[in-house]
Amino acid sequence: MILNASDIVNKAIEFGFDKCGIIPVGMMSEYEVRLEERIEHFPQTQEKYEAFKSFSHLQEDYPWAKSIVICSFWYGRYHIPDELQGRIAKYYLTDGRRNTESKGYQTSVAFEKYLTDCNLQVATDRDFGITALRWAAMKAGIGVIRKNNFFYTEKGSYQYLEAFLIDVPLQYIAESHIKPCAEKCNLCMKACPTGSLEAPYMMCRNTCVSCLTTWDGWDLRAEPLQNRFGKWIYGCDSCQDACPHNKSAWKGEENFPGLNEWGNFFSYSEIVLSDYSWLESVIQPKLWYIPHGKEWRYKTNALNAMLNNYKPNYLPIIKEACNDEYAEVRDMAKWVLEKIQKKNDNSAK
Ligand code: SF4
Ligand code: SF4
């Protein structure tokens, strides 16, 4: 079978991806330069970014790899329950990477099988990406990276990307007609609650709410930015939601499997009082950056949001959390109570 690049691209779209392009692996080399710039600007993040350098030299880990097939899947199609809006990043709510019932997962698996059935050697990393996904997608012409660092197609930034390495040399640079960011626009930077998006294309991973509510920030009592998380308890969409190129980008016309069932029952209070078996069986498989065994983290994040958005009816819930079975939750709840007490004392003066 003689396979050409457009056969692969058309098949990706037929399976459910929105856009697709193909680049030679060598086109990733420039990514390292951008990474160095980021490290130079934020030396405190060096350790985190160092690991990404291998994305520029894919043939060291995959000597057989010749090309990267890069595809985008549009998740702006899904309905987000009101309780979750502005509290959990939409990407994580509609995350198809591990959800076998989701269209995104099924599209990815079917496409990988198609590539393999074409007798290609294939490698992918469905969880985190086998290369720098946004950079590869930009090089493949399927969209642009904007000043907020997110990747946009004509449908806005609510897309996730997947890359597949293949062992044949192919190239397909897609066409897109996307306007760049306006020179003077800085709405995303202004919307960033912690100042993490410090300058165009310059986001500090150490201070981004998305990182501080998932990978980092395990003891929020010691996190100096905890009072700037606003309503977020897992991820953050502020710099995407503020962007004019995302105006009307979210359509919300389809249901994501299982999301409505738990989404309307996921208020801060319900999280803090929830049963650990429910967090383990229902929530952790969806919001999986918090690893199994550390489900108490959903509760400490929710307690932090209660403090930041305090209402008197939270008080009995926070007090009850002082008796939680996990010390991390008990300690956080006691600390939140102290903070509330201090605030009350100050306003009584
Ligand atoms: S995700 Fe949130 S915290 Fe991170 S850069 Fe964007 S606005 Fe800032
Ligand atoms: S808010 Fe403005 S500067 Fe930021 S990504 Fe959108 S268009 Fe670009």
Side-chain angles (χ1 to χ4, degrees):
M1 177 177 172
I2 299 172
L3 194 65
N4 63 47
S6 49
D7 290 339
I8 293 179
V9 168
N10 291 339
K11 209 68 187 175
I13 292 163
E14 197 182 298
F15 279 123
F17 285 118
D18 219 43
K19 297 187 85 177
C20 175
I22 306 175
I23 55 168
V25 286
M27 277 173 93
M28 291 305 294
S29 57
E30 202 189 324
Y31 170 71
E32 189 169 4
V33 179
R34 297 285 98 81
L35 210 49
E36 290 290 1
E37 282 169 8
R38 184 78 65 93
I39 294 170
E40 201 180 315
H41 193 91
F42 299 117
Q44 68 275 35
T45 60
Q46 172 147 21
E47 210 180 311
K48 284 177 182 153
Y49 285 124
E50 209 60 47
F52 298 152
K53 284 190 178 166
S54 62
F55 288 164
S56 308
H57 317 284
L58 288 163
Q59 278 174 317
E60 285 173 16
D61 291 328
Y62 305 93
W64 51 266
K66 298 279 187 296
S67 319
I68 304 164
V69 183
I70 177 90
C71 308
S72 64
F73 184 88
W74 177 55
Y75 63 88
R77 70 185 75 205
Y78 292 118
H79 169 70
I80 304 293
D82 290 346
E83 278 290 358
L84 304 174
Q85 290 280 3
R87 298 175 175 205
I88 300 178
K90 296 185 271 297
Y91 172 54
Y92 302 124
L93 293 170
T94 59
D95 186 349
R97 288 173 292 175
R98 291 187 179 184
N99 188 323
T100 55
E101 290 167 37
S102 71
K103 196 170 172 176
Y105 184 88
Q106 289 166 1
T107 295
S108 171
V109 169
F111 183 59
E112 186 182 0
K113 180 175 182 309
Y114 158 77
L115 294 172
T116 311
D117 288 348
C118 291
N119 290 324
L120 297 174
Q121 187 163 354
V122 182
T124 189
D125 176 349
R126 198 160 282 123
D127 277 356
F128 298 112
I130 202 155
T131 188
L133 300 172
R134 296 174 194 180
W135 187 261
M138 184 191 65
K139 287 285 176 193
I142 65 177
V144 297
I145 298 172
R146 294 202 180 279
K147 290 187 212 172
N148 61 3
N149 283 315
F150 280 91
F151 181 79
Y152 286 65
T153 69
E154 290 82 352
K155 287 184 174 172
S157 68
Y158 305 113
Q159 329 263 339
Y160 65 76
L161 297 164
E162 281 200 75
F164 303 83
L165 301 186
I166 56 172
D167 60 343
V168 291
L170 291 174
Q171 180 162 321
Y172 186 104
I173 307 298
E175 266 192 40
S176 57
H177 305 280
I178 303 172
K179 282 189 192 161
C181 291
E183 202 185 325
K184 288 195 174 148
C185 186
N186 64 355
L187 292 172
C188 49
M189 289 158 259
K190 273 165 64 182
C192 178
T194 55
S196 163
L197 186 60
E198 191 181 292
Y201 311 104
M202 284 295 164
M203 182 276 273
C204 178
R205 279 178 76 91
N206 289 4
T207 53
C208 173
V209 175
S210 270
C211 301
L212 291 173
T213 51
T214 55
W215 312 110
D216 299 329
W218 284 90
D219 184 356
L220 291 175
R221 297 171 305 164
E223 171 49 56
L225 293 168
Q226 63 66 228
N227 60 349
R228 289 161 71 178
F229 292 6
K231 293 185 173 173
W232 296 110
I233 52 172
Y234 190 95
C236 168
D237 282 333
S238 297
C239 56
Q240 292 183 85
D241 290 345
C243 177
H245 291 280
N246 273 336
K247 196 168 173 250
S248 315
W250 197 273
K251 298 296 179 207
E253 288 158 355
E254 290 178 35
N255 288 325
F256 187 81
L259 185 59
N260 289 337
E261 286 73 28
W262 66 270
N264 284 326
F265 303 97
F266 207 56
S267 65
Y268 300 146
S269 303
E270 278 156 327
I271 298 168
V272 171
L273 297 182
S274 61
D275 195 79
Y276 278 97
S277 63
W278 183 73
L279 289 176
E280 281 162 23
S281 60
V282 179
I283 303 305
Q284 196 280 332
K286 296 182 195 306
L287 306 179
W288 51 270
Y289 286 1
I290 289 176
H292 184 54
K294 303 244 186 220
E295 285 81 2
W296 53 264
R297 180 77 203 269
Y298 303 112
K299 296 195 182 200
T300 54
N301 282 0
L303 283 164
N304 187 59
M306 281 177 151
L307 174 63
N308 286 341
N309 305 277
Y310 184 67
K311 292 180 193 158
N313 61 328
Y314 290 157
L315 195 58
I317 316 285
I318 301 167
K319 284 184 175 165
E320 201 169 329
C322 294
N323 300 315
D324 192 272
E325 63 186 88
Y326 281 88
E328 289 86 348
V329 177
R330 296 196 298 272
D331 292 345
M332 182 72 186
K334 284 176 199 158
W335 182 78
V336 169
L337 280 181
E338 279 167 26
K339 287 267 184 192
I340 293 166
Q341 189 59 50
K342 251 188 215 159
K343 251 189 220 169
N344 288 344
D345 291 350
N346 286 341
S347 55
K349 274 180 195 164

